[in-house]
Amino acid sequence: MAGRSLRVFCPYNSLKHWGRRKAWCRQLGEEGLCQQVVSTHPSWLLSFLKRWNGSTAITDDALGGTLTITLRNLQAHDAGLYQCQSLRGSEADTLRKVLVEVLADPLDYQDPGDLWIPEESENFEGTQVEHSISRSLSDEESPFPPTSILFLLACIFLSKLLAASALWAAAWHGQKRRRWLQTSGLDCGHDSGYQLQTLTGLRDT
């Protein structure tokens, strides 16, 4: 419905699309180009961070294999055919096509006559798309963070643990070496004194 928000989920194979950026684009024609609206963070490790372009946001759960698009304050001009894409260089793989239709009258949102359908959508009758109905975002909010955030936190904890282990090993090795040097120094001092006393005794005789 106009003025409401819409959330679109695009699941994908996380192994096949590992390390790739994702994008949300608007298709200009049946065989035309898909104009990019918003894309994920340039760094794949930060793809879970939400990026905005106007009223459209994108976030990627790379480990869970789910691309999430959020469109706030829907207007009539937002209606059209969109794509979730997986980018690889100059090429793009289509993950899902979504036809967004904006309801003009929020009181009769189930009446097909109240649907505002753009003129270009008539060319997409043979295209396989998924229809979505806007709903309250608060009902869809997950109480748990996405898998990518948990993975990043685990990597940070593991790196700190490895750094602490390396520092402890270096300190232990240094302390052991100092003890060995001290022990070797005492032995050398004892041997030198003994040899000096022996040479002095021989000279007196």
Side-chain angles (χ1 to χ4, degrees):
M1 294 179 289
R4 297 284 298 275
S5 296
L6 174 68
R7 176 168 292 177
V8 181
F9 298 96
C10 299
Y12 61 88
N13 188 328
S14 58
L15 295 179
K16 179 180 178 180
H17 300 280
W18 184 266
R20 297 184 185 178
R21 294 183 62 190
K22 311 300 188 302
W24 171 257
C25 65
R26 183 169 185 170
Q27 190 166 337
L28 303 180
E30 185 177 3
E31 300 296 337
L33 297 177
C34 196
Q35 184 178 8
Q36 188 175 117
V37 179
V38 65
S39 61
T40 55
H41 197 279
S43 175
W44 172 76
L45 292 176
L46 301 177
S47 61
F48 63 90
L49 296 177
K50 183 176 291 186
R51 298 192 72 196
W52 288 88
N53 182 14
S55 59
T56 306
I58 187 172
T59 181
D60 183 23
D61 183 2
L63 292 181
T66 302
L67 183 67
T68 304
I69 312 297
T70 304
L71 295 90
R72 293 189 179 274
N73 191 23
L74 285 170
Q75 301 299 322
H77 59 78
D78 293 323
L81 184 64
Y82 294 82
Q83 291 185 19
C84 294
Q85 292 186 336
S86 176
L87 308 178
R88 49 173 182 174
S90 59
E91 300 180 356
D93 294 334
T94 300
L95 303 177
R96 171 170 288 185
K97 293 184 178 181
V98 181
L99 180 61
V100 177
E101 298 172 339
V102 180
L103 299 167
D105 187 357
L107 298 179
D108 301 325
Y109 65 93
Q110 292 182 344
D111 187 358
D114 291 334
L115 289 177
W116 186 90
I117 304 177
E119 295 180 358
E120 64 267 19
S121 65
E122 297 177 357
N123 301 325
F124 305 137
E125 294 180 356
T127 306
Q128 183 178 0
V129 298
E130 297 202 8
H131 297 267
S132 302
I133 298 178
S134 61
R135 62 189 64 181
S136 174
L137 294 181
S138 60
D139 298 336
E140 299 178 357
E141 292 290 347
S142 173
F144 301 101
T147 311
S148 300
I149 297 181
L150 298 178
F151 177 74
L152 182 62
L153 293 176
C155 290
I156 293 176
F157 174 77
L158 182 60
S159 62
K160 290 186 176 181
L161 181 62
L162 292 176
S165 301
L167 291 176
W168 179 85
W172 180 80
H173 180 73
Q175 185 177 7
K176 184 178 180 181
R177 181 177 178 82
R178 284 194 298 271
R179 290 180 179 176
W180 181 81
L181 291 176
Q182 291 176 359
T183 304
S184 301
L186 290 176
D187 293 343
C188 291
H190 177 74
D191 293 342
S192 300
Y194 177 77
Q195 293 177 359
L196 181 61
Q197 291 177 2
T198 304
L199 293 173
T200 305
L202 292 175
R203 182 177 299 176
D204 294 338
T205 57

